[in-house]
Amino acid sequence: SLKLAMDRYKPRQVQLEVKANQPVTLEPIPLVPADGTLLLRTDPSGATVTLKGQYAGTTPLDAAVASGEKHLLRISKPGYEELSREVSLSPGERKEFSLILTPRKGTVHFKVEPPDALLLINGKPQGAVPGMLELLAVEHGIEIQKEGYDSFSTRLTPRPGFPQELSVVLKKSLPSAQKLAEEAQTATG
């Protein structure tokens, strides 16, 4: 077995049959240029990457890329603008890209009674409900609550360029004993 290796080329192994005291003539053995390495980082991470239309992984990504060819690189993540780049690498070249994804946001206007209710987005407290808020254009869990009132919750996907309005009037909570009495009365008719 004969192993050939050269900088910027993929190693190649060739099987030879050798007999004692007999010369061996080898045909030329072509070597293939080595791949390049693409190091791709995005902020935020977790973006989907395709190379030449094929899924390559998610960021951060360290991928071998055929050298000497142009590759269309696409980076996408829900709620962010898609990026496209054309990439070409030399044999053995390492190329690093650090890209900041541009958020796509939609406007949500809130009309809430009582006005001092609290807003939770995806379970995280945001303080008092504002009159307007810009949110990433992905589905969000919205909850509005105030002590002494029944909470309101919904799912909402903001749409860039199409402001939305969420109007909510919280209902006063009934004391626990009163709730039980009403439920019992409803059940008995």
Side-chain angles (χ1 to χ4, degrees), residues 25-43:
T25 304
L26 296 176
E27 296 295 320
I29 301 170
L31 296 179
V32 177
D35 290 337
T37 303
L38 178 65
L39 305 165
L40 184 61
R41 311 286 178 261
T42 59
D43 181 16

Side-chain angles (χ1 to χ4, degrees), residues 114-127:
D116 59 344
L118 299 177
L119 174 65
L120 286 87
I121 299 176
N122 300 323
K124 295 179 185 166
Q126 304 295 310

Side-chain angles (χ1 to χ4, degrees), residues 76-135:
S76 62
K77 183 173 177 89
Y80 293 86
E81 299 287 338
E82 183 177 291
L83 294 175
S84 294
R85 297 275 189 279
E86 199 167 83
V87 178
S88 182
L89 300 175
S90 302
E93 181 183 7
R94 290 175 64 84
K95 194 176 274 189
E96 184 168 348
F97 289 96
S98 291
L99 304 168
I100 296 173
L101 301 179
T102 303
R104 295 181 69 234
K105 293 186 174 185
T107 302
V108 180
H109 296 275
F110 293 92
K111 290 188 177 178
V112 177
E113 289 296 328
D116 59 344
L118 299 177
L119 174 65
L120 286 87
I121 299 176
N122 300 323
K124 295 179 185 166
Q126 304 295 310
V129 178
M132 186 271 297
L133 194 59
E134 286 201 352
L135 294 171

Side-chain angles (χ1 to χ4, degrees), residues 3 17 25 28 42 45 50 66 84 100 111 115 127 131 171 185:
K3 184 173 183 178
E17 191 173 312
T25 304
T42 59
S45 62
T50 61
S84 294
I100 296 173
K111 290 188 177 178
K171 296 178 184 174
Q185 186 176 13

Side-chain angles (χ1 to χ4, degrees), residues 141-156:
I142 306 289
E143 187 172 352
I144 298 172
Q145 55 185 225
K146 179 169 175 61
E147 192 164 327
Y149 291 82
D150 291 334
S151 294
F152 168 84
S153 63
T154 190
R155 306 222 41 94
L156 179 86

